[in-house]
Amino acid sequence: MSVDETITFSLAVKNTGNRERQEIVQLYISIKSSLPRPVKELKRFKKVKLMPGEEKIVSLSIDKEALSFFDAERHEWICEPGKFEAIIAVSAMDIKDVLKFELK
């Protein structure tokens, strides 16, 4: 991924129950940077309604702004190159997939 691109992550979600339900698909990013950062940061989420037996593909996209942080010493937003993890989940603890990518 270069700094002027967008990257999209997708997850199939299915309602295996017998009632209509809502699912919230969440995209967390794990970033290692020159400044201390949280272990994972929620960057995007999407709520979908699913009828019994229904399956949908949910896609969430990010760009360099989602990977940036504010450097208080420099007074500007920084997007450092490096290795990242995209964590796709339906809750902070119910992780469905972890994908690694690199920002050059």
Side-chain angles (χ1 to χ4, degrees):
M1 176 180 185
S2 68
V3 292
D4 43 338
E5 292 179 25
T6 301
I7 187 168
T8 300
F9 303 95
S10 298
L11 176 70
V13 290
K14 183 174 183 174
N15 181 354
T16 58
N18 57 8
R19 294 188 177 146
E20 178 184 312
R21 68 180 266 202
Q22 306 266 343
E23 189 71 80
I24 300 174
V25 178
Q26 302 161 23
L27 171 61
Y28 296 88
I29 298 294
S30 178
I31 303 170
K32 292 180 177 47
S33 72
S34 60
L35 295 178
R37 303 285 297 269
V39 173
K40 59 184 172 186
E41 299 176 13
L42 178 63
K43 296 297 182 177
R44 302 283 185 269
F45 65 91
K46 189 178 285 186
K47 187 176 187 179
V48 293
K49 181 168 46 170
L50 298 163
M51 301 306 287
E54 184 178 15
E55 182 176 53
K56 290 184 179 178
I57 303 294
V58 179
S59 297
L60 301 166
S61 298
I62 58 168
D63 57 18
K64 76 172 189 172
E65 289 181 15
L67 305 176
S68 300
F69 62 92
F70 188 76
D71 186 327
E73 287 184 17
R74 294 167 60 179
H75 298 290
E76 64 182 358
W77 287 91
I78 306 286
C79 185
E80 294 179 326
K83 296 180 180 181
F84 297 80
E85 288 184 341
I87 302 161
I88 312 293
V90 293
S91 77
M93 300 307 291
D94 190 359
I95 295 170
K96 300 301 183 185
D97 206 355
V98 177
L99 305 159
K100 297 176 189 265
F101 66 99
E102 188 171 351
L103 180 65
K104 298 185 180 203

